[in-house]
C-alpha cells in the first residue's frame, strides 16, 4: 500500500498502550498504532458496506484486501452484506423479462 | 440464442459458492473483463481461497473481453466511486449490449437501478434456474440457496426461499 507521512497528535495514554503492545508482540510502537488504524478502518468499511454506502470492490481496493477477504471478515463478524429483499425482487422482475424475451426468440 | 450476462467478482464468487456457476456458463454467455478476472481468480488464488481455483476452471467457458470506454458509463461512473472490476462490468454491459449484470453488491445494484441497468442477483438466478426446470430436482435449488445463505442478507434468503416454496407448490 502506498504510504504517506501524516502529522498526528496522539493522546499520551494511547502512545503508552502502543508501546506496551509493541513490546509484547516484539514489534514497535508505530507498527502497533498502524495495526489499530487498520482494525478501525476495517470495521468502518464493513459498516459502510453493510449500509450499502460503499461497494465491495472499492472497499477491497482501499484496504488492499480481496473481495474474498471482505466476505470472510463480514461472515466472521456476523455482518450481513449483499442485495436487499427489494433488490432481489427487482432482479426477479429482470429474470422474468429475460426469460420471456428468450422464449420469444 | 444465449442470454449475455456480465458478472462482477462478487457475483461470480457467490454463484460458484451456490454451485450454479458452471450451469449458468452452459446456459448463458458469461462476459467478464481482465479486472473482474483478477479480482475473482488471481487475487483469490494468491490468498489461497479454493473458490478462486474452481472459478478459474469454469472460466474457460466464459467470454473474456476488454471493454471499450462507453460515454454513458463515463457519465454514470462520475456519480459514485466504484472498484475497478465494477467499473469494468458497467463498461462491458454497455459496450457489449449485454442483457444484465450479475452482482450481489447493494451499493453497486443501487447505482445500476438508478440508471435502469437490469441486474440479477445469484439468489434470483437460483430461483430462475429452478423455475425453468434447469435446476431439478427442486432439492438442488434449496441446497444452492443454503450454500448462499451465509453470504447474503437474510431478507434476500427468505424472499428466495419463499419463491422456491411457491414453485414447489405449483408443480
Amino acid at each position: 500500500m502506498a504510504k504517506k507521512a501524516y502529522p498526528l497528535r496522539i493522546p499520551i495514554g494511547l502512545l503508552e498502550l502502543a508501546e506496551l503492545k509493541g513490546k509484547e508482540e516484539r514489534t514497535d510502537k508505530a507498527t502497533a498504532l498502524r495495526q489499530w488504524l487498520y482494525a478501525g478502518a476495517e470495521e468502518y468499511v464493513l459498516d459502510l458496506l453493510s449500509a450499502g454506502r460503499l461497494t465491495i470492490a472499492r472497499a477491497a481496493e482501499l484496504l488492499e484486501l480481496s473481495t474474498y477477504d471482505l466476505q470472510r471478515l463480514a461472515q466472521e463478524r456476523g455482518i450481513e452484506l449483499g442485495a436487499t429483499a427489494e433488490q432481489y425482487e427487482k432482479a426477479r422482475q429482470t429474470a422474468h423479462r429475460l426469460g420471456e424475451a428468450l422464449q420469444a426468440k | 440464442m444465449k442470454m449475455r450476462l456480465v458478472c462482477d467478482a462478487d457475483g461470480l464468487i457467490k454463484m460458484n459458492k451456490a454451485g450454479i456457476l458452471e450451469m449458468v456458463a452452459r446456459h448463458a454467455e458469461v462476459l467478464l473483463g481482465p479486472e473482474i478476472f483478477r479480482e475473482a481468480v488471481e487475487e483469490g488464488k494468491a490468498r489461497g481461497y479454493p473458490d478462486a481455483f474452481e472459478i478459474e476452471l469454469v472460466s474457460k467457458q466464459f467470454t473474456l473481453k476488454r471493454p471499450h470506454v462507453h460515454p454513458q458509463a463515463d457519465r454514470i461512473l462520475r456519480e459514485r466511486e466504484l472498484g475497478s472490476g465494477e467499473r469494468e462490468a458497467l463498461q462491458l454491459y454497455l459496450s457489449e449490449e449485454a442483457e444484465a449484470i450479475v452482482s450481489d453488491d447493494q451499493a453497486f445494484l443501487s447505482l445500476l437501478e438508478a440508471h435502469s441497468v437490469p441486474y440479477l442477483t445469484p439468489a434470483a438466478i437460483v430461483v430462475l434456474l429452478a423455475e425453468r426446470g434447469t435446476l431439478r430436482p427442486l432439492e438442488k435449488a434449496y441446497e444452492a440457496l443454503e450454500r448462499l445463505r451465509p453470504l447474503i442478507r437474510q431478507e434476500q434468503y427468505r424472499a428466495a426461499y419463499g419463491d422456491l416454496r411457491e414453485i414447489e407448490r405449483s408443480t
Side-chain angles (χ1 to χ4, degrees):
Chain A
M1 188 181 278
K3 291 187 177 69
K4 188 177 170 182
Y6 187 81
L8 195 64
R9 296 175 80 84
I10 299 169
I12 291 167
L14 277 185
L15 281 174
E16 284 175 16
L17 282 171
E19 193 157 350
L20 181 66
K21 181 174 156 70
K23 275 182 187 153
E24 277 177 0
E25 296 177 8
R26 293 174 186 276
T27 176
D28 55 61
K29 196 161 56 180
T31 305
L33 284 169
R34 269 196 298 272
Q35 283 172 349
W36 283 337
L37 265 179
Y38 276 120
E42 266 177 25
E43 203 175 308
Y44 181 58
V45 156
L46 286 171
D47 283 347
L48 291 177
L49 278 174
S50 181
R53 291 173 57 197
L54 185 68
T55 69
I56 198 160
R58 184 63 187 137
E61 283 171 3
L62 290 170
L63 290 173
E64 287 209 333
L65 293 174
S66 69
T67 304
Y68 293 93
D69 294 327
L70 283 170
Q71 288 172 343
R72 180 179 49 78
L73 281 175
Q75 242 182 296
E76 283 170 2
R77 296 178 194 184
I79 295 169
E80 289 192 2
L81 302 182
T84 61
E86 201 182 316
Q87 289 174 327
Y88 166 79
E89 291 305 333
K90 293 262 163 57
R92 290 281 294 138
Q93 289 165 17
T94 301
H96 276 299
R97 271 201 311 277
L98 292 179
E100 281 167 14
L102 273 182
Q103 268 172 350
K105 282 177 187 171
Chain B
M1 179 107 177
K2 278 184 168 182
M3 202 186 284
R4 304 180 84 216
L5 302 174
V6 174
C7 292
D8 71 356
D10 185 53
L12 282 173
I13 294 167
K14 288 179 181 170
M15 282 199 288
N16 183 60
K17 197 55 106 183
I20 58 165
L21 185 58
E22 219 217 324
M23 192 177 285
V24 170
R26 261 189 279 126
H27 290 85
E29 184 182 0
V30 176
L31 296 161
L32 47 105
E35 272 304 313
I36 301 165
F37 186 83
R38 185 185 59 75
E39 287 175 13
V41 176
E42 288 163 8
E43 275 189 5
K45 277 172 64 181
R47 292 164 196 252
Y49 288 97
D51 296 36
F53 294 88
E54 292 168 15
I55 296 172
E56 186 179 36
L57 279 179
V58 186
S59 74
K60 292 173 176 58
Q61 298 175 58
F62 300 159
T63 305
L64 286 168
K65 288 229 170 189
R66 196 174 288 276
H68 306 294
V69 176
H70 195 283
Q72 194 189 340
D74 271 355
R75 275 197 301 277
I76 298 173
L77 291 171
R78 261 181 245 134
E79 284 177 29
R80 184 163 220 159
E81 223 177 309
L82 299 178
S84 34
E86 292 148 349
R87 299 171 73 86
E88 190 177 68
L90 184 63
Q91 297 273 13
L92 257 180
Y93 164 79
L94 290 165
S95 60
E96 293 298 318
E97 297 180 347
E99 265 88 17
I101 295 179
V102 182
S103 175
D104 194 54
D105 187 287
Q106 187 187 355
F108 187 38
L109 297 183
S110 298
L111 181 72
L112 297 180
E113 201 176 318
H115 293 275
S116 306
V117 174
Y119 59 79
L120 295 167
T121 65
I125 295 179
V126 167
V127 176
L128 172 69
L129 291 170
E131 218 165 30
R132 294 172 68 93
T134 313
L135 195 54
R136 289 294 167 103
L138 211 53
E139 285 71 38
K140 284 190 177 173
Y142 283 114
E143 282 166 21
L145 191 60
E146 281 309 312
R147 284 194 292 267
L148 261 183
R149 191 176 188 174
L151 289 171
I152 64 176
R153 274 183 205 279
Q154 290 316 291
E155 60 182 87
Q156 186 182 197
Y157 167 81
R158 283 193 294 272
Y161 187 85
D163 286 339
L164 288 180
R165 290 298 298 266
E166 202 57 51
I167 296 168
E168 193 177 354
R169 276 193 288 269
S170 63
T171 48

